[in-house]
Amino acid sequence: MSKLIAFAAIQGGYKVVAQVEGELDKALQTYDASTKIGFPNTAYYLPVIYSLTGLKCETLEDLKKPMEFARGLLPPHIKLKNWLPYLGPLLDAGMAGIISYEVKEALRYLYEPDFYIAQEDPDIENGKIWVGAADDTILRKRGVEFVDGSAPGFAAMVGAAPNKEIAKMIVEDYQKRSLYIFCAANHNGKTLIEQCLEADMQIGWNTRIVPFGPDISSAVFALGFANRAAMAFGGVKPGDYKKILMYNKERVFAFVNALGDVGTEWGVAAAGCVNWGFPTLADTEIPEILPTGICTYEHVVAPVSHDEMVQRSVEVRGLKVQVAEIDIPCAFGPAYEGERVRGADLYAQCGGGKTQCTELVKMADMGSIEDGKVIVDGPDIDGIKEGGTFPLGIKVEIAGREFQEDFEPIMERQIHHLINYIQGIMHIGQRDISWVRISKAAIEKGFTLKDIGVVLHAKFHQDFQKIVDKVQVTLFTKPEDVDKMTAVARENYLARDARVDTMTDEDVEIYYSCTLCQSFAPSHVCSVSPERTGLCGAYNWMDCKAAFEINPTGPNQPIEKGECIDPKLGQWKGVNEFVYKASRGAVTHYNFYSMVHDPMTTCGCCECIAAMLPACNGVMTVGRDYTGETPCGMKFTTLAGVMGGGASSPGFVGHSKHNITQGKFILGDGGLLRMVWMPKMLKEELKDRIDKRGADMGVPNLYDMIADETVGITEEEILPFLQEKGHPALTMDPLVG
């Protein structure tokens, strides 16, 4: 290891610690020591400090301890003779720098509360570029992508490229590989984010180009995101620094790209990242650290040419990614899924209440379709004037010796993602309420409606080789044809839904597991039955059955129920044995139908979390879309942070929206009649189903009896409402006895 890089990193550590100590002293002289500090809308305090040390920093006074800790980490200065060429001192200096940078950013939030924007995407029109620390809503939403593999990792990029063309080339190459690009720092006053904007690229969480901040200290937000993922999805406890760092090395595939001159402050940040197992690749001549040890392979690699930066970074981190090459004129990949097509960029659109847009996947006979054939039945996009609208029906016919009708909704669900993966195309909704917006930029590149068919054909073959032999796509654009197809599609939707809604848990002897989230929550095992959909909301029993047949070695495995141990609470011997094995002994058993007694484990991907409200003798539930306070005293993000790492937490349980009105929802605790509060938006979304389920349980006006935030956000506020309405929960047996 080079003496020069160790010298620079350790010097940087001393410099940064001293600088932030001075800033903290100044703040304590300016503000009262009890002044509140922290990153907005997060339950993780200052996440790097909290996760590694267990220290909860809530006031200015609290910042003294982490700074004392950082000062204590600083190693002796490098001597001219007899210096030790070991990574240890460099890593300690790096960690001291990272801790100091997080304190520095907390002080910035205090001094300049409007510097970072409190939303998911930048407000570029008003000059609000920097997003700062991700709040817990963003963490949960984006963290799921790291769980399911749609985001294989992230590139933490500091500085700026020599010009906007090189910046665009590197960033788009990462996007094609589905990685997130976390941007911080500037080089000679220029930032990579500004270069992306100059190159007409869309930035923000939705396009995976995340502008954390303009200074090197804002790189700490990337590490905070990684550590919070370990706590939220992996169940790693705050203060267990060894597990936090190992979790990141083994599960969060990230690395640093240093674009520009690497001074002492960048050097200490790079040294800090090595603690996480994140290597650094630079485009300038700096000393390398090539021996393996902390990182999977090399620690610091330089110089790397810009045209090799992406491939070399992926190789050094040991990251396995696939780049989908599809013969269309636009770039393609998951990174474009969140791209928006706004009014000024819009060329034409269909659906969204303006016209009809419908999607349908149907099984076909092998001889009735031609593989790869894409038919545009009606005018293509070149026949639409700029700013115009058109109807669209997307019919996909699939033939395969292993294909079944049960697979149709699985494939149909992919249409949303796959169309969204086309750069410059925005897709919202599914089934017969889809909405497609096409940008001017896509048209300029030569996009036509036929390209949608090309994408669906290629990806269905690529992703579902076992069951797909032929794919033919027809795109209808004549109003009468689209209406005719829509009528047929709606008949199919009703038939599919009825198959699951009429099933009960007693009808089957096989349930299905879903361990997709174990990449981030190793002890979590989700069990899916006909009357308990997956807690993420993405999988019902039929979906899991189909997924297992498509991929017998995948995350959806059959579970033989076996002997029934408790029919009221929903516990079976076979399920317990499967869960014990799949959780590697961490979970011995759980109940399907109870949140009070040994409930099912929960991971951070859940759509909703239910909690007991003892004073009301009932329960509440809250969805991830609701950001306000709740009667249990915790927001969704706090609830998910407390029990979302794969734990079974009596009194709480994660579940899907659909599960709320299923027959077995917490039936062992009294079922839906226990529901006394839920957010208004969730209640309205489920109104018809609540009315039906309430009537089935003998309370047809249950919907009107459930309180929401307009009634109150504490038990004391909602109890009079429940009493006035005569809510059935008030006369039921005590919830906890």
Side-chain angles (χ1 to χ4, degrees):
M1 188 183 83
S2 169
K3 175 181 177 181
L4 291 175
I5 196 167
F7 174 82
I10 292 172
Q11 286 292 101
Y14 275 92
K15 177 181 177 181
V16 171
V17 170
Q19 180 190 57
V20 178
E21 284 174 336
E23 292 182 17
L24 179 56
D25 286 342
K26 181 180 177 182
L28 286 166
Q29 293 170 16
T30 306
Y31 298 91
D32 188 271
S34 62
T35 300
K36 295 289 185 182
I37 56 91
F39 300 154
N41 302 317
T42 174
Y44 297 97
Y45 307 97
L46 301 186
V48 171
I49 294 168
Y50 179 52
S51 61
L52 297 177
T53 69
L55 294 172
K56 299 178 181 179
C57 296
E58 300 179 83
T59 67
L60 272 177
E61 181 73 21
D62 293 339
L63 295 179
K64 289 181 178 179
K65 285 186 178 180
M67 288 310 301
E68 290 171 2
F69 186 79
R71 171 63 66 178
L73 283 174
L74 292 173
H77 286 283
I78 294 292
K79 296 180 180 179
L80 294 176
K81 294 181 180 179
N82 301 323
W83 64 286
L84 296 175
Y86 300 133
L87 274 174
L90 178 140
L91 295 175
D92 288 343
M95 189 60 78
I98 294 297
I99 289 171
S100 300
Y101 279 146
E102 191 165 49
V103 171
K104 182 182 179 71
E105 288 298 334
L107 293 174
R108 167 172 269 171
Y109 270 102
L110 176 64
Y111 283 125
E112 303 176 80
D114 297 325
F115 186 83
Y116 296 120
I117 60 171
Q119 61 190 55
E120 191 169 10
D121 290 302
D123 185 7
I124 296 169
E125 292 182 3
N126 294 315
K128 293 284 188 177
I129 297 177
W130 309 111
V131 299
D135 66 26
D136 285 353
T137 302
I138 295 172
L139 172 72
R140 296 284 164 184
K141 180 178 179 182
R142 300 295 164 180
V144 171
E145 295 171 352
F146 288 87
V147 171
D148 65 18
S150 59
F154 68 78
M157 305 190 71
V158 298
N163 55 56
K164 66 180 182 180
E165 288 78 18
I166 292 176
K168 182 178 182 180
M169 175 190 71
I170 294 173
V171 170
E172 282 195 340
D173 207 355
Y174 281 132
Q175 284 184 305
K176 290 174 184 176
R177 285 168 164 79
S178 306
L179 277 78
Y180 273 83
I181 303 97
F182 290 164
C183 302
N186 67 86
H187 181 242
N188 295 329
K190 195 72 172 180
T191 67
L192 186 74
I193 285 296
E194 291 168 326
Q195 292 177 319
C196 288
L197 290 173
E198 290 170 4
D200 295 324
M201 301 180 75
Q202 289 189 25
I203 64 170
W205 283 99
N206 281 333
T207 57
R208 304 192 179 188
I209 307 171
V210 185
F212 275 138
D215 303 314
I216 187 61
S217 56
S218 54
V220 78
F221 295 137
L223 298 176
F225 183 91
N227 280 20
R228 287 158 67 192
M231 292 186 288
F233 297 102
V236 184
K237 303 300 181 185
D240 194 345
Y241 66 91
K242 288 183 180 179
K243 282 189 178 179
I244 288 280
L245 296 177
M246 285 302 296
Y247 186 97
N248 276 282
K249 177 183 177 180
E250 295 171 356
R251 295 179 182 271
V252 181
F253 291 92
F255 48 85
V256 179
N257 285 170
L259 303 179
D261 300 326
V262 179
T264 56
E265 293 184 16
W266 283 25
V268 73
C273 290
V274 171
N275 284 282
W276 275 257
F278 301 166
T280 293
L281 294 91
D283 64 351
T284 56
E285 288 275 2
I286 64 171
E288 296 182 297
I289 305 178
L290 299 181
T292 59
I294 306 301
C295 295
T296 304
Y297 299 115
E298 296 86 357
H299 298 78
V300 177
V301 179
V304 181
S305 65
H306 296 117
D307 58 353
E308 294 181 349
M309 181 66 75
V310 173
Q311 183 56 44
R312 193 85 170 93
S313 297
V314 167
E315 172 195 330
V316 170
R317 185 59 181 95
L319 181 58
K320 306 300 181 185
V321 298
Q322 292 182 342
V323 181
E325 296 292 344
I326 297 186
D327 188 20
I328 61 173
C330 304
F332 181 87
Y336 303 110
E337 185 175 11
E339 193 177 47
R340 288 173 170 80
V341 177
R342 298 182 173 89
D345 306 321
L346 180 65
Y347 180 84
Q349 60 183 317
C350 61
K354 298 170 178 60
T355 63
Q356 182 59 46
C357 184
T358 304
E359 300 161 355
L360 179 66
V361 169
K362 288 296 295 177
M363 185 173 76
D365 293 330
M366 197 72 73
S368 65
I369 62 173
E370 180 182 334
D371 186 44
K373 187 174 184 179
V374 179
I375 304 166
V376 180
D377 191 346
D380 204 323
I381 195 70
D382 56 2
I384 310 297
K385 292 183 179 180
E386 183 176 324
T389 61
F390 61 98
L392 181 63
I394 303 173
K395 182 180 181 182
V396 183
E397 295 171 277
I398 300 177
R401 290 175 177 83
E402 304 295 326
F403 197 80
Q404 304 173 24
E405 281 190 1
D406 289 347
F407 301 161
E408 291 174 353
I410 302 283
M411 309 297 284
E412 200 170 273
R413 193 175 296 143
Q414 307 304 311
I415 294 176
H416 165 73
H417 300 289
L418 297 178
I419 293 179
N420 254 328
Y421 288 177
I422 305 172
Q423 187 181 28
I425 310 299
M426 186 175 82
H427 183 287
I428 297 172
Q430 59 181 346
R431 287 190 167 183
D432 59 343
I433 55 171
S434 298
W435 184 12
V436 179
R437 290 168 68 91
I438 301 169
S439 70
K440 296 174 185 176
I443 296 298
E444 289 170 2
K445 289 183 178 181
F447 173 83
T448 68
L449 293 179
K450 185 177 181 180
D451 293 324
I452 292 176
V454 172
V455 165
L456 297 180
H457 168 261
K459 290 300 291 179
F460 282 167
H461 270 293
Q462 200 174 88
D463 297 344
F464 300 94
Q465 296 178 22
K466 182 176 180 289
I467 59 170
V468 171
D469 291 329
K470 289 184 175 182
V471 179
Q472 178 173 305
V473 182
T474 305
L475 299 113
F476 299 101
T477 60
K478 299 174 187 174
E480 61 274 18
D481 292 339
V482 174
D483 290 344
K484 184 177 179 181
M485 180 196 141
T486 300
V488 173
R490 286 172 178 162
E491 291 176 3
N492 278 265
Y493 304 152
L494 287 172
R496 291 174 188 169
D497 293 343
R499 282 187 296 177
V500 177
D501 285 340
T502 57
M503 291 178 68
T504 69
D505 285 357
E506 291 77 16
D507 292 337
V508 300
E509 293 303 317
I510 298 289
Y511 293 160
Y512 287 91
S513 70
C514 184
T515 53
L516 190 66
C517 298
Q518 280 198 345
S519 58
F520 273 72
S523 63
H524 174 57
V525 183
C526 190
S527 296
V528 181
S529 70
E531 293 183 274
R532 199 187 197 287
T533 55
L535 54 83
C536 66
Y539 287 87
N540 63 36
W541 185 86
M542 292 291 293
D543 294 332
C544 289
K545 179 177 181 290
F548 170 68
E549 294 182 43
I550 292 171
N551 180 12
T553 60
N556 304 118
Q557 293 294 309
I559 306 173
E560 290 190 18
K561 292 161 57 177
E563 177 188 345
C564 184
I565 297 173
D566 192 324
K568 179 182 178 183
L569 299 180
Q571 187 178 150
W572 297 267
K573 183 179 179 182
V575 174
N576 288 346
E577 290 171 350
F578 184 94
V579 168
Y580 180 77
K581 184 177 180 180
S583 69
R584 299 167 185 84
V587 181
T588 60
H589 66 283
Y590 55 50
N591 295 312
F592 276 49
Y593 310 147
S594 178
M595 59 179 286
V596 177
H597 306 285
D598 299 329
M600 191 179 290
T601 56
T602 296
C603 80
C605 302
C606 57
E607 277 191 311
C608 304
I609 296 176
M612 287 196 305
L613 298 179
C616 300
N617 199 37
V619 304
M620 55 147 277
T621 192
V622 57
R624 65 171 62 249
D625 297 331
Y626 176 73
T627 58
E629 299 290 344
T630 73
C632 76
M634 291 182 277
K635 297 180 180 180
F636 178 89
T637 52
T638 307
L639 285 165
V642 169
M643 41 81 70
S648 175
S649 306
F652 305 89
V653 73
H655 57 90
S656 68
K657 293 179 181 178
H658 188 78
N659 184 226
I660 295 171
T661 53
Q662 288 185 294
K664 296 295 197 301
F665 177 69
I666 61 167
L667 196 60
D669 307 322
L672 188 60
L673 298 185
R674 287 283 189 185
M675 188 65 66
V676 298
W677 188 94
M678 64 172 64
K680 184 176 173 57
M681 60 194 296
L682 178 60
K683 190 170 75 165
E684 290 180 347
E685 181 180 341
L686 299 175
K687 183 180 187 306
D688 291 344
R689 293 183 63 88
I690 292 173
D691 285 341
K692 183 178 184 304
R693 180 60 183 151
D696 291 343
M697 300 183 79
V699 186
N701 58 336
L702 180 62
Y703 175 87
D704 296 322
M705 296 179 173
I706 299 173
D708 55 41
E709 68 273 22
T710 64
V711 175
I713 54 172
T714 67
E715 289 193 77
E716 293 75 17
E717 289 174 343
I718 68 171
L719 185 55
F721 172 87
L722 302 174
Q723 292 169 335
E724 177 188 337
K725 295 290 185 179
H727 196 290
L730 300 178
T731 57
M732 296 172 74
D733 291 337
L735 191 57
V736 181

